[in-house]
């Protein structure tokens, strides 16, 4: 989901407190918008779900009736779409990779790289629009012209990060109704403001760049931060056949997270429509949930990912169970006795101890995290097509994770 694929529970005091602090302003905004945007009672009866509200999740969807596995819940086009935040350049029309070499086709108007003059996304609302092109054309020197072979991954990333933010801010001017649907989404701005590193990143790389370098002085800093928060909290990462994009959808954003979700989604590569279906039978009144994080990651990493990007500590049944509902996804082979398994004593204590079930060996969460990062870095260094390399990696992992 929302997030890289870049989001309920035994009570966790931190999470509950944060949602309540998350502020009266945020709650008022939600209540007001709930009234304006909610389907009428007749419409709601026809839908397989309805919107509810809780102090922990905010707004979320629940099943209106028992739903069978594979039932379609939502099919909708994006309200906004743009490139993912990455150092790899993509076509602004179709989000397929492009190069920054001199012979790469570029938009004659604004000099941003495109896949070609016949790209289906040219002048299309889900691609490179005329309005966007005009804005970039006026700022060729600070954007498109910097995207050359000399640009490092960080520079490329910083420029591509701006694209979707600018697209949403353009909607405010050119399609206020569409913008209003986005503006009702949760941004967690007040909590994000408390995170100095994150706030500085957006202040320097987005707000200042747009206002000073791009001379869009009329943009209010507060509104830009709000849009950045909305994107981080609500966007989906979609794409097929090499294309990768991030998207905001009008209803799908409402699903709450669970680490054993009861829905799954696919996306249409040409319309960027999302198709969200139940992945198992869902009881009437049960919350409809989506996995915001990688379900194959262990609890420590999944929870850290959601806290960082989505601003909540997941306390679902899987996160609360040291054995992750029987998957034992997080267990490590004990480095001391070599026969026992090391697991978090209380997985909802992010910095708590990990202990072996056979001997007295203990590890701190920081050490576990370092080990997991090393494994992840090793994996990322292997080419996805290098089958012997991947098999060797699996054999090395058996010594750490067990079979
Ligand atoms: C994509 S939004 C979902 C819609 C949101 N609840 C709203 O009212 O706009 C993600 C946010 O919902 C809340 N949320 C979703 N799943 C949650 C969970 N399992 N536990 C706590 N909060 C959750 C968090 O505030 C998170 O940042």
């Amino acid at each position: 989901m929302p997030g890289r694929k870049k989001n309920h529970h035994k009570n966790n005091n931190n999470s509950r407190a944060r949602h309540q602090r998350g502020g009266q302003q945020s709650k008022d905004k939600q209540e007001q918008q709930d009234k304006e945007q909610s389907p009428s009672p007749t419409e709601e009866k026809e839908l397989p779900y309805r919107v509810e509200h809780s102090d922990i999740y905010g707004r979320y969807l629940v099943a209106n009736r028992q739903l069978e596995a594979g039932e379609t819940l939502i099919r909708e086009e994006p309200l906004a779409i743009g490139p993912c935040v990455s150092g790899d350049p993509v076509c602004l029309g179709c989000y397929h990779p492009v190069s920054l070499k001199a012979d790469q086709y570029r938009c004659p108007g604004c000099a941003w790289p495109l896949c070609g003059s016949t790209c289906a996304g040219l002048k299309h609302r889900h691609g490179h629009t005329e309005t966007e092109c005009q804005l970039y054309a006026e700022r060729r020197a600070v954007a498109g012209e910097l995207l050359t072979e000399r640009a490092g991954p960080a520079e490329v990333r910083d420029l591509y990060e701006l694209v979707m933010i600018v697209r949403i801010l353009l909607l405010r001017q050119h399609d206020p109704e569409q913008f209003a649907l986005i503006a009702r989404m949760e941004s967690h701005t007040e909590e994000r403001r408390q995170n100095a590193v994150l706030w500085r990143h957006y202040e320097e790389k987005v707000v200042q760049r747009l206002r000073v370098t791009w001379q869009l002085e009329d943009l209010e800093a507060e509104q830009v931060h709000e849009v950045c928060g909305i994107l981080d909290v609500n966007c989906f990462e979609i794409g097929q056949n090499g294309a990768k994009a991030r998207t905001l959808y009008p209803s799908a954003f409402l699903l709450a997270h669970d680490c054993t979700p009861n829905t799954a989604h696919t996306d249409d590569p040409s319309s960027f429509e999302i198709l969200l279906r139940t992945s198992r039978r869902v009881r009437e009144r049960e919350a409809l949930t989506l996995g915001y994080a990688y379900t194959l990651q262990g609890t420590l990493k999944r929870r850290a990912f959601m806290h960082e990007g989505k601003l909540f500590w997941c306390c679902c049944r899987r996160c609360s169970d040291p054995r992750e509902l029987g998957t034992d996804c997080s267990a490590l082979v004990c480095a001391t006795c070599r026969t026992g398994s090391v697991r978090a004593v209380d997985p909802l204590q992010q910095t708590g101890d990990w202990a072996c079930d056979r001997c007295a060996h203990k590890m701190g969460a920081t050490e576990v995290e370092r080990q997991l990062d090393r494994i992840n870095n090793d994996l990322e260094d292997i080419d996805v097509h290098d089958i012997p390399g991947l098999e060797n990696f699996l054999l090395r992992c058996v010594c750490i994770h067990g079979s």
Side-chain angles (χ1 to χ4, degrees):
M1 138 98 120
R4 181 175 176 185
K5 156 194 111 149
K6 219 179 353 62
N7 312 316
H8 304 276
H9 330 193
K10 196 174 146 189
N11 181 15
N12 166 316
N13 292 332
N14 293 343
S15 151
R16 202 180 273 278
R18 189 149 24 69
H19 272 281
Q20 284 164 350
R21 268 207 318 275
Q24 190 55 34
Q25 197 188 347
S26 179
K27 210 170 165 191
D28 291 347
K29 171 177 165 180
Q30 277 187 6
E31 281 169 4
Q32 160 85 15
Q33 286 159 348
D34 286 349
K35 275 188 216 138
E36 288 165 10
Q37 314 278 349
S38 300
S40 68
T42 357
E43 276 171 333
E44 206 159 65
K45 232 185 237 157
E46 285 157 16
L47 290 171
Y49 59 80
R50 64 176 179 274
V51 184
E52 294 222 339
H53 185 275
S54 92
D55 284 348
I56 297 178
Y57 312 144
R59 291 164 294 192
Y60 66 108
L61 302 185
V62 298
N64 256 342
R65 54 175 168 80
Q66 176 168 301
L67 302 168
E68 298 309 321
E71 280 201 45
T72 297
L73 294 170
I74 293 173
R75 183 195 278 271
E76 60 191 7
E77 280 197 28
L79 290 167
I81 178 163
C84 294
V85 181
S86 106
D88 303 319
V90 294
C91 168
L92 290 188
C94 64
Y95 315 103
H96 277 93
V98 290
S99 93
L100 295 178
K101 293 189 179 148
D103 61 356
Q104 173 67 47
Y105 180 79
R106 283 175 182 260
C107 173
C110 67
W112 279 68
L114 298 172
C115 66
S117 59
T118 56
C119 173
L122 286 188
K123 302 189 179 169
H124 189 284
R125 66 198 165 93
H126 293 330
H128 185 45
T129 60
E130 279 177 282
T131 331
E132 172 178 89
C133 186
Q134 211 175 337
L135 177 81
Y136 293 169
E138 288 160 12
R139 286 152 185 91
R140 278 178 85 110
V142 289
E145 283 176 4
L146 291 179
L147 289 167
T148 67
E149 264 179 300
R150 286 189 304 278
E155 273 172 278
V156 173
R157 182 194 178 283
D158 289 350
L159 280 167
Y160 275 91
E161 180 169 20
L162 296 175
V163 174
M164 191 161 178
I165 300 168
V166 168
R167 286 184 180 180
I168 296 174
L169 291 163
L170 282 172
L171 280 181
R172 186 176 64 141
Q173 227 176 308
H174 299 284
D175 194 342
E177 274 180 29
Q178 196 95 337
F179 180 77
L181 293 174
I182 294 175
R184 73 184 178 123
M185 295 179 186
E186 177 62 81
S187 65
H188 287 302
T189 300
E190 289 318 313
E191 289 129 297
R192 286 163 62 89
R193 205 190 297 277
Q194 308 306 318
N195 180 337
V197 175
L198 179 115
W199 195 259
R200 200 174 330 112
H201 168 87
Y202 285 102
E203 187 61 34
E204 288 169 8
K205 301 281 182 193
V206 180
V207 178
Q208 292 307 322
R209 268 180 167 228
L210 293 178
R211 283 167 53 90
V212 180
T213 323
W214 288 38
Q215 296 174 339
L216 297 168
E217 298 99 347
D218 52 331
L219 287 181
E220 287 162 33
E222 212 43 32
Q223 182 127 42
V224 180
H225 278 292
E226 182 82 8
V227 168
C228 295
I230 287 177
L231 259 175
D232 281 354
V233 174
N234 298 280
C235 81
F236 284 72
E237 270 200 17
I238 63 157
Q240 288 176 41
N241 312 323
K244 264 173 78 179
R246 45 184 189 153
T247 40
L248 290 174
Y249 293 101
S251 314
F253 83 94
L254 285 166
L255 271 95
H257 162 85
D258 194 279
C259 295
T260 47
N262 55 21
T263 73
H265 60 91
T266 51
D267 53 89
D268 183 313
S270 49
S271 65
F272 306 110
E273 250 184 6
I274 192 171
L275 174 60
L276 203 120
R277 284 185 278 220
T278 47
S279 50
R280 62 165 168 80
R281 176 176 288 177
V282 179
R283 295 183 315 274
E284 185 177 352
R285 289 195 297 274
E286 189 180 337
L288 290 160
T289 56
L290 200 65
Y292 294 6
Y294 286 126
T295 40
L296 288 180
Q297 259 179 343
T299 300
L300 194 68
K301 285 286 183 192
R302 288 194 320 276
R303 295 186 87 231
F305 169 82
M306 280 166 305
H307 184 246
E308 197 185 316
K310 316 289 175 193
L311 286 298
F312 71 93
W313 286 115
C314 183
C315 303
C316 71
R317 279 179 60 232
R318 178 173 166 196
C319 283
S320 315
D321 176 6
R323 291 176 187 259
E324 300 200 37
L325 307 178
T327 63
D328 231 359
C329 224
S330 297
L332 303 171
V333 173
C334 176
T336 304
C337 70
R338 309 292 317 165
T339 51
S341 296
V342 180
R343 299 183 186 88
V345 177
D346 177 357
L348 298 186
Q349 294 299 323
Q350 198 69 3
T351 53
D353 274 347
W354 286 50
C356 175
D357 58 2
R358 291 264 176 97
C359 72
H361 180 60
K362 283 202 163 132
M363 285 171 86
T366 319
E367 198 186 335
V368 174
E369 201 156 9
R370 238 182 272 130
Q371 194 160 327
L372 295 174
D373 287 339
R374 263 198 310 271
I375 297 170
N376 196 43
N377 292 341
D378 278 0
L379 178 61
E380 301 229 316
D381 283 346
I382 307 171
D383 184 294
V384 287
H385 304 294
D386 177 5
I387 306 298
L390 290 168
E391 283 176 345
N392 266 330
F393 169 79
L394 281 179
L395 286 174
R396 289 198 304 276
C397 282
V398 170
C399 307
I400 304 167
H401 276 297
S403 51

